[in-house]
Amino acid sequence: SLIGQGGMGAVYLAHDTSLDRKVALKVLRPELARDRDLAERLVREARAQARLSHPNVVGIHYIGTFEGVPYLAMEYVRGQSLDDHLHEVGALPWAVALEYVIQ
């Protein structure tokens, strides 16, 4: 099911059947997948992210392509995006915003 979308693609909640777990699939928009530079950028970003180990950075499980469209299988984290949270509660007090930035 669709979790969210942006200018470059969409993120779906999916099920990893080999390891029996929920994952987030980030899929590049098909019309952008033809742009080799954008597809390579997605892979570079995934490799950089995969080198990080931090509680506030989701893990990358797999980089692949399906019918020529690149995708990333990532750790699925329940919760809401910061954007959704801000729409719900409005502007954050500066101390709370600073804590988010520090994290």
Side-chain angles (χ1 to χ4, degrees):
S1 60
L2 183 66
I3 296 174
Q5 53 189 353
M8 288 188 61
V11 179
Y12 297 91
L13 175 60
H15 182 80
D16 177 349
T17 58
S18 62
L19 296 173
D20 192 27
R21 62 181 172 185
K22 292 179 180 180
V23 294
L25 287 182
K26 183 175 187 177
V27 181
L28 196 60
R29 288 190 0 219
E31 64 272 18
L32 298 179
R34 292 186 287 264
D35 184 330
R36 186 177 175 101
D37 290 337
L38 283 178
E40 288 175 1
R41 181 176 140 194
L42 182 73
V43 171
R44 279 194 312 273
E45 289 178 5
R47 287 182 176 150
Q49 186 174 335
R51 287 190 291 271
L52 300 174
S53 178
H54 189 278
N56 294 340
V57 177
V58 298
I60 301 288
H61 298 308
Y62 186 78
I63 302 170
T65 60
F66 180 74
E67 296 180 356
V69 177
Y71 68 90
L72 311 175
M74 306 179 294
E75 173 185 9
Y76 170 67
V77 179
R78 282 184 64 102
Q80 67 181 161
S81 70
L82 178 58
D83 186 53
D84 289 343
H85 181 66
L86 291 174
H87 279 85
E88 211 173 86
V89 301
L92 299 173
W94 72 268
V96 174
L98 180 60
E99 182 60 32
Y100 287 178
V101 170
I102 290 170
Q103 291 181 35

